[in-house]
């Protein structure tokens, strides 16, 4: 396929955290994407324009003094807007504990509404452009990303690196490093490991957790059974086709687009487990 037949339809999903690098995530991605599409693939101007969505950081949501999570989410949303994201998701402050309540969802939405409707600087597109720290961070983060691309290429590209467990290993190491800093106080987190509440709530405080009702659960199970019954004749054929594509190293995604019309997620994953095995984490 010619690059212009599909590249202009691509969009990406990023996460914004509290570290300074996140404030330039979008402009770094757009710079790398535009150069690669133009110089390596000869793509059109439209295909060189990267579109991306930002979700505020789930890792920065803490169960301790979780009311403070709205403050972190607001700051993450602000840098996403300053960096000209195409769309934005703001987390609810209570997501570290439970499924968001109607009230917490409304507050999360209000973060975006207030930035868009009330915050004056956000009315200026790209207000941070040209500042020393933004320009410096953009260059530094771009260099770091390109070096990571080189390390992946040295391991045989994305698929080769996956076979070696490279990406998963980095994620696990970074997660452990973050948790260690959080617990020893190297990374200060207000209300979690520093500036703790001098009047903490009683230890036996109970929270009302939001969960689906038994009626909702049974309704979902009933609809699943009905879906499987309607497609009882078609599903085995499609699952066999999916397994064959996986064994032949063909484009599994193309087959999946047809499979989801007649097969449930459980049927599909079970079929793929039978071909490739089921991952078990090793520590």
């Amino acid at each position: 396929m010619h690059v212009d037949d599909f590249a202009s339809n691509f969009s990406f999903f990023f996460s914004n955290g509290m570290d300074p690098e996140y404030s330039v995530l979008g402009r770094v991605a757009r710079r790398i994407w535009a150069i690669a599409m133009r110089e390596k693939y000869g793509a059109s101007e439209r295909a060189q324009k990267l579109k991306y969505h930002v979700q505020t950081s789930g890792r920065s949501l803490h169960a301790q003094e979780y009311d403070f999570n709205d403050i972190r989410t607001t700051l993450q949303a602000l840098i996403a807007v300053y960096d000209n994201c195409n769309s934005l998701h703001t987390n609810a402050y209570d997501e570290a504990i439970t499924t968001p309540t109607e009230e917490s969802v409304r507050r999360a939405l209000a973060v975006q509404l207030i930035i868009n409707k009330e915050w004056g600087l956000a009315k200026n597109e790209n207000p941070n452009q040209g500042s020393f720290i933004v320009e410096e961070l953009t260059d530094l983060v771009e260099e770091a990303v390109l070096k990571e691309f080189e390390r992946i290429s040295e391991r045989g590209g994305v698929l080769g690196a996956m076979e070696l467990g490279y990406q998963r290993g980095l994620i696990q190491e970074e997660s452990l490093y973050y948790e260690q800093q959080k617990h020893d106080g190297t990374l200060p987190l207000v209300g979690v490991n520093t500036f703790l509440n001098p009047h903490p709530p009683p230890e036996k405080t109970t929270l009302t957790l939001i969960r689906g009702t038994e009626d909702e659960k049974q309704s979902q199970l009933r609809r699943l059974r009905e879906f499987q019954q309607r497609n009882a004749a078609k599903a085995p054929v499609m699952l066999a086709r999916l397994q064959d594509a996986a064994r032949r190293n063909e484009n599994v995604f193309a087959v999946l687009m047809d499979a989801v019309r007649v097969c449930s997620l459980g049927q599909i994953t079970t079929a793929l487990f039978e071909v490739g095995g089921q991952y078990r984490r090793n520590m």
Side-chain angles (χ1 to χ4, degrees), residues 7-12 29-30 33-35 37 43-52 86:
S8 60
N9 294 323
F10 280 176
S11 61
F12 294 83
R30 282 179 166 140
W33 176 263
I35 293 173
M37 296 303 287
S44 66
E45 181 179 342
R46 177 65 186 83
Q48 295 171 30
K49 296 178 179 179
L50 180 144
K51 303 187 296 295
Y52 73 96
N86 295 98

Side-chain angles (χ1 to χ4, degrees), residues 146-158 160-161 166:
L146 293 176
K147 285 182 177 178
E148 189 59 53
F149 284 180
E150 290 179 357
R151 285 190 281 269
I152 291 175
S153 295
E154 290 168 357
R155 291 163 173 79
V158 172
Y166 176 70

Side-chain angles (χ1 to χ4, degrees), residues 117-172:
K117 301 298 182 182
E118 299 183 32
W119 184 243
L121 194 57
K123 300 181 188 301
N124 182 323
E125 186 174 329
N126 211 356
N128 290 334
Q129 185 70 30
S131 72
F132 167 77
I133 186 60
V134 167
E135 297 297 321
E136 184 74 3
L137 275 174
T138 301
D139 291 340
L140 289 172
V141 175
E142 180 189 26
E143 181 181 4
V145 170
L146 293 176
K147 285 182 177 178
E148 189 59 53
F149 284 180
E150 290 179 357
R151 285 190 281 269
I152 291 175
S153 295
E154 290 168 357
R155 291 163 173 79
V158 172
L159 293 179
M162 286 176 62
E163 291 292 335
L164 296 172
Y166 176 70
Q167 295 96 323
R168 181 175 292 275
L170 283 182
I171 292 170
Q172 290 177 345

Side-chain angles (χ1 to χ4, degrees), residues 216-228:
E216 291 171 333
K217 174 183 175 181
Q218 294 304 323
S219 173
Q220 180 69 13
L221 291 172
R222 185 184 67 255
R223 285 183 284 126
L224 174 62
R225 288 192 296 268
E226 291 172 352
F227 173 81
Q228 292 176 337

Side-chain angles (χ1 to χ4, degrees), residues 262-280:
V262 296
C263 306
S264 68
L265 179 61
Q267 290 173 317
I268 290 172
T269 53
T270 299
L272 291 176
F273 287 155
E274 292 174 358
V275 174
Q278 189 168 354
Y279 177 77
R280 287 290 181 267

Side-chain angles (χ1 to χ4, degrees), residues 228-272:
Q228 292 176 337
Q229 290 170 0
R230 286 197 308 271
N231 298 290
K234 299 177 182 178
V237 176
M238 184 55 67
L239 292 172
R241 179 183 163 199
L242 179 64
Q243 290 179 320
D244 188 58
R247 291 190 186 97
R248 295 173 180 271
N249 201 28
E250 296 175 356
N251 185 348
V252 175
F253 188 81
V255 183
L256 278 172
M257 293 296 288
D258 294 326
V260 293
R261 299 176 187 275
V262 296
C263 306
S264 68
L265 179 61
Q267 290 173 317
I268 290 172
T269 53
T270 299
L272 291 176

